[in-house]
Amino acid sequence: MAFQAVTFPKMRLTHGMVKTVIDPMIITGNGVRELRRRQTRFDRFLWSFPARNLDQTDVDALYKFYVQVNRGLDSFRFQDPEFPEYNSSPLLHRSGTTWYLGIPDDATTGGRHPVFNPVMGSLSFTRNGSPVTPTFSISSDGFPIVTITGSSGTDDIRVTGPVYMTARFESPLSFTIVATSKSALNDSCTPIPTMQLVGDVNLIEVFEV
């Protein structure tokens, strides 16, 4: 529905997380040949967190966040455990004084896999080793870019700081509330409601601001 400038909570137990690169395609045919058309300009990432690996603290934080993002309707920032930050990473030149803001080591898109919703105040940029303050925008053809006044394709532009992808819940989450107790056998007790997650958590990348 919309993008919220909030960040997905960090799961303390990321063992078993699976990251998949998908290339959505529409295929139609007439019996003689197929017409294949990509649904998106970029490959999309899909992150899966097995529910069995999330402890109670994770589940409680996840439920609060799920409600916050309109029960999964809104997109949000997500810090990919595989590529959580730039570390003096070079940017790919676009044209004139503009540079692609993307993941620089993504070979499938020539360094242009997009970062649509960066936290610019958390990023530091340099031009040939000297600090610069760029302006972020979306180009007319839909690419996230930064503009650095006076720069050219021969410059060495680098960035340091956290990388936030834009994601949403791929499908609705289901939670149950189970009454548990910590009393001894046969003793009276007051049930303690405990939130439990039903099914794994799947996040899918989206390209929007």
Side-chain angles (χ1 to χ4, degrees):
M1 294 288 290
F3 169 75
Q4 286 195 36
V6 294
T7 303
F8 184 80
K10 289 186 178 180
M11 300 289 97
R12 297 187 302 164
L13 303 177
T14 57
H15 175 71
M17 186 202 78
V18 177
K19 179 180 178 180
T20 307
V21 179
I22 58 177
D23 187 6
M25 183 181 299
I26 297 175
I27 301 176
T28 57
N30 59 8
V32 178
R33 64 177 60 187
E34 284 187 347
L35 174 63
R36 295 176 290 274
R37 180 166 57 89
R38 298 185 68 183
Q39 291 180 279
T40 62
R41 178 182 302 180
F42 311 100
D43 294 340
R44 300 175 77 178
F45 297 146
L46 174 69
W47 301 271
S48 298
F49 294 86
R52 66 181 182 275
N53 291 339
L54 304 181
D55 65 11
Q56 192 60 51
T57 300
D58 291 332
V59 172
D60 291 343
L62 182 62
Y63 176 73
K64 292 179 181 179
F65 183 77
Y66 183 67
V67 172
Q68 181 181 6
V69 294
N70 203 10
R71 295 188 178 274
L73 293 180
D74 295 341
S75 60
F76 45 83
R77 290 189 176 103
F78 173 71
Q79 198 164 18
D80 187 349
E82 182 188 29
F83 195 92
E85 61 182 29
Y86 294 114
N87 184 16
S88 190
S89 304
L91 294 187
L92 181 68
H93 182 244
R94 174 181 166 83
S95 64
T97 60
T98 62
W99 303 75
Y100 291 107
L101 186 61
I103 299 179
D105 64 350
D106 184 351
T108 66
T109 52
R112 296 187 298 171
H113 194 95
V115 176
F116 273 94
N117 293 282
V119 181
M120 292 298 290
S122 299
L123 298 176
S124 59
F125 295 80
T126 61
R127 174 189 176 194
N128 302 325
S130 299
V132 291
T133 303
T135 301
F136 173 79
S137 63
I138 304 297
S139 67
S140 59
D141 55 348
F143 285 95
I145 58 174
V146 291
T147 300
I148 300 176
T149 303
S151 65
S152 67
T154 60
D155 289 329
D156 179 26
I157 305 297
R158 294 180 178 268
V159 57
T160 299
V163 177
Y164 294 103
M165 313 306 291
T166 305
R168 62 169 172 81
F169 289 98
E170 185 192 30
S171 57
L173 298 185
S174 296
F175 296 87
T176 60
I177 298 178
V178 179
T180 62
S181 172
K182 298 182 180 180
S183 66
L185 183 64
N186 296 325
D187 284 353
S188 60
C189 65
T190 300
I192 303 173
T194 302
M195 187 71 67
Q196 293 187 359
L197 177 65
V198 180
D200 297 339
V201 179
N202 297 311
L203 306 180
I204 190 168
E205 185 179 19
V206 294
F207 307 117
E208 65 183 13
V209 294

